Amino acid sequence: MSAAIPSPTAHPLGQTWFGRLANLATLGLLILILVISTGEMVHGQLLKFGELVFSDPSQKVQYFLLRADPEPPTCNPHVDVEQEIARQAAANAAPGGPGPGGSGKADELDDLLGAKTFDADATRASLKATVQDCAERHALYTHIRQHITPQLKLYRGLETSFFALFKFGADNRAMILLTLLTVTAAFTTLGFHHISLRPARRARDFQAQSWSMLAASLLMLYSCVRYYQISVDSGVAIDDPRVYFAWMALFGSLAAVSAWRVVSPPACAADADPGTWLRSLECVPLIANLGIFSCLYFLAQGHPSGPAIYAHKILDFISIPLALALHIWAGMLFKQSRLVDLFMNILRPWKLSPEALTYIILLAAGLPTAYAGVSSVFVIAAGAIVYHEVRAVGGTSQYALAATAMSGSLGVVLSPSLLVVAIAALNRQVTTSQLFYWGGFVFALTSTMFFIASQLHRHNRQERAHVASPRVAVPAMLREMKVVVPYVAVIAAIALFYSHVLDTPFNEISAPSILPIMMLLVLVFDKKMAARQEAKAAVPDAATHGTVHEPAYAAQRQKTALKAIDTATTETIEHVGSYISLIVFTQLVGGVVERTDVMSLAPQVFPNVWLAMGFLIVAKVLLGMVMEPLGAILLVSSTLAPMAYANGIEPLHFWMMVLVAFELGYLLPPVAINQLLTRQVVGEAEIDRADAEVAGQPLYRRHERWILPCVVMSISLGIVGFGPLLVQHVDALHPIMGWFHGPAMP
């Protein structure tokens, strides 16, 4: 991204009136998204609880009858049946009546069926049933009124208000997403936080960012206007015109903010050295490059509405970006807690080598990476911690940077990864259970490959690691584990509450809605525990277990829960604005690929499965190098996946290869998004020091942060891509085919 992450105490844009407004708006929208995602679950439990507490089966009063004040019945329960029978008999026999004694004309149907006679017994039975039903309705009305207590009114007000909020959110998900994107993208543009190859430092860097964003925003605004005009002129009724205007408002806001930044650059842009225009091109945001390129292509093709049409496709799988926003928020809340510190405190007594410690960190990072949704979110949330911990035990800067970039690339195949959920949602040929089952093996492969590669290229191979004696390390580790037990209890209690009280187990479907709530509660608990430990540490000779180690990055955390939530929300704005904007603009590149029909240049059926797999691997890596993962999955599902199936590649095998290939692409230039995010969270100054540290050393040492992750993921990709094919097509390996039987399709 465009700049190193600032200290929360010095977040200038976040402290402005616009920053405070954006913070409140984003917090409100995130809470509304939580209500949407949990609304059906929570409302169902509210109805069950209301039925349990306020219903009265003995009087046939159920809670659904109490959700609103009843209307009194209009019928008369005191009708004299015999008197009414006599009245009807007299009316039937009177002159002009319909009966045999009357001279009035009977109904034409009566003429066909014969004369109609008055049946007193049938009328009596009907009247008695009507009177009884009326009496029961009046009795039920009385019982309902008796059950409408102040407590019921308070509860049903809560329940119906929640339902109204949930229904409003569910009916307006597209508008909520576009509003969230407008607020966060405008904030991100104003603060120069969009993802770019190099952060802006000098005047021309900021000008390049502002002018390119202005051009891309105006082109997209024009495309949205043309899309609306074409939709109106088509004569087909537009489902929701507000969505079209929301897109215009989004890109209009970005254009306005960019124009403001053109005439009002930040104060740091006034340095004496303005930089060069050529170097400033590296600072152009990725979304500006994608937007300008795609819009110019569609304009040249005479299809100006094309970019807007493909951007609009994000609403076809709207639950994914909404879930991603919640994952990012949970990641930023996680960053404000001490959970990673507490885990590292357990490992520190062993005094492990940098390579061994990194291996354990990568294994442990797999789970939070999966919960973070995509690899990039974990790098944002915990990348700085990983880097400084590896450095603290003696790892070189280049090796620590490599570990940081890799930390987010391994766990994307584990449950409940959002990428896997998206693949299963878009492709019926595979299920999440299948992908997660084999994802465990892929995770073990990639993490072990990193450990082996790091051992082969150890900086101090001639030195023996001085691992602490178990007699010393185990007691110290147990003391640190004691500090973690309350956190584990809190997390377990939350999971049990959702599972048993709300009847919602924690899985890949419920994770986006449960994680933010879990992290909010854990963060509040963590701040209280930290305050208590600081108070004890201030007392002479007090026990200070778990609080002695105070890493440098801890200064970025706020001391109180409210300030931590505020800071986490501000950082969420930046990352949601930059990342979801990248998803939107990736759709445009997918549109260009579809319109150019470049995929048709490759043979749909290759001479053999080996050539097909080789082509698909190269294609996936190239996509991962230039596209955001969720958008790339959408493109692959409609283009390359059918090609793979047609060439005899199993769907499960294909998608596992895709996940590994994408992660390799995220580590490769020209974009290398995980490397860019590592650069962001570590800081430009640290990157410069790392490069200066290895100046004049061999090629591998100078570029270890690039070479090591790429070599590991390349070897892993080769094994994942071609290993199953070897087992299938080499006779000598057929005996081990039974090892590859995983969960079957439901």
Side-chain angles (χ1 to χ4, degrees), residues 150-205:
Q151 294 84 356
L152 170 72
K153 290 182 178 180
L154 179 64
Y155 183 81
R156 77 181 184 186
L158 171 66
E159 178 260 313
T160 54
S161 298
F162 182 86
F163 176 74
L165 182 62
F166 161 64
K167 188 175 185 304
F168 169 80
D171 293 341
N172 295 275
R173 293 198 304 166
M175 294 300 298
I176 292 171
L177 174 62
L178 293 176
T179 303
L180 176 68
L181 188 54
T182 300
V183 173
T184 56
F187 181 92
T188 302
T189 304
L190 189 63
F192 298 96
H193 294 297
H194 281 296
I195 301 173
S196 57
L197 297 180
R198 185 173 62 82
R201 291 180 174 180
R202 306 188 185 280
R204 286 175 179 167
D205 297 343

Side-chain angles (χ1 to χ4, degrees), residues 47-211:
L47 290 177
K48 286 183 181 179
F49 185 78
E51 190 70 26
L52 179 66
V53 174
F54 299 105
S55 64
D56 188 352
S58 63
Q59 296 184 350
K60 299 181 179 179
V61 176
Q62 294 178 288
Y63 175 70
F64 78 90
L65 298 172
L66 303 172
R67 296 181 72 227
D69 290 337
E71 294 289 337
T74 56
C75 62
N76 182 8
H78 305 295
V79 174
D80 189 322
V81 174
E82 297 302 327
Q83 182 178 353
E84 179 63 20
I85 291 174
R87 185 191 68 78
Q88 292 188 20
N92 186 72
S103 59
K105 290 185 177 180
D107 188 89
E108 293 180 359
L109 184 61
D110 292 337
D111 293 340
L112 293 174
L113 300 177
K116 181 180 179 182
T117 59
F118 180 74
D119 189 339
D121 292 336
T123 303
R124 181 178 291 106
S126 175
L127 286 173
K128 285 183 177 179
T130 302
V131 170
Q132 182 179 358
D133 178 70
C134 181
E136 290 176 353
R137 290 166 62 188
H138 277 272
L140 181 61
Y141 171 75
T142 302
H143 293 324
I144 292 174
R145 290 295 303 269
Q146 291 173 349
H147 283 77
I148 298 179
T149 62
Q151 294 84 356
L152 170 72
K153 290 182 178 180
L154 179 64
Y155 183 81
R156 77 181 184 186
L158 171 66
E159 178 260 313
T160 54
S161 298
F162 182 86
F163 176 74
L165 182 62
F166 161 64
K167 188 175 185 304
F168 169 80
D171 293 341
N172 295 275
R173 293 198 304 166
M175 294 300 298
I176 292 171
L177 174 62
L178 293 176
T179 303
L180 176 68
L181 188 54
T182 300
V183 173
T184 56
F187 181 92
T188 302
T189 304
L190 189 63
F192 298 96
H193 294 297
H194 281 296
I195 301 173
S196 57
L197 297 180
R198 185 173 62 82
R201 291 180 174 180
R202 306 188 185 280
R204 286 175 179 167
D205 297 343
F206 290 105
Q207 291 175 20
Q209 284 203 10
S210 299
W211 279 108

Side-chain angles (χ1 to χ4, degrees), residues 1-5 193-200 209 281-287 289 375-377 379-380 383-384 401-402 404-406 409 575 578-579 582 624-628 663-684 687 705-706 709:
M1 292 187 182
S2 59
I5 197 163
H193 294 297
H194 281 296
I195 301 173
S196 57
L197 297 180
R198 185 173 62 82
Q209 284 203 10
L281 295 178
E282 297 177 356
C283 303
V284 173
L286 297 182
I287 63 170
N289 285 321
S375 60
S376 307
V377 177
V379 175
I380 293 170
L401 290 172
T404 303
M406 280 287 292
S409 297
H575 300 308
S578 60
Y579 205 83
L582 186 58
M625 290 166 59
V626 297
M627 292 186 71
E628 180 278 332
E663 290 303 321
L664 173 58
Y666 306 151
L667 295 166
L668 288 171
V671 177
I673 190 168
N674 281 0
Q675 293 281 7
L676 290 181
L677 294 175
T678 298
R679 190 184 195 111
Q680 175 210 8
V681 298
V682 170
E684 282 298 305
I687 296 293
R705 65 187 175 99
W706 292 93

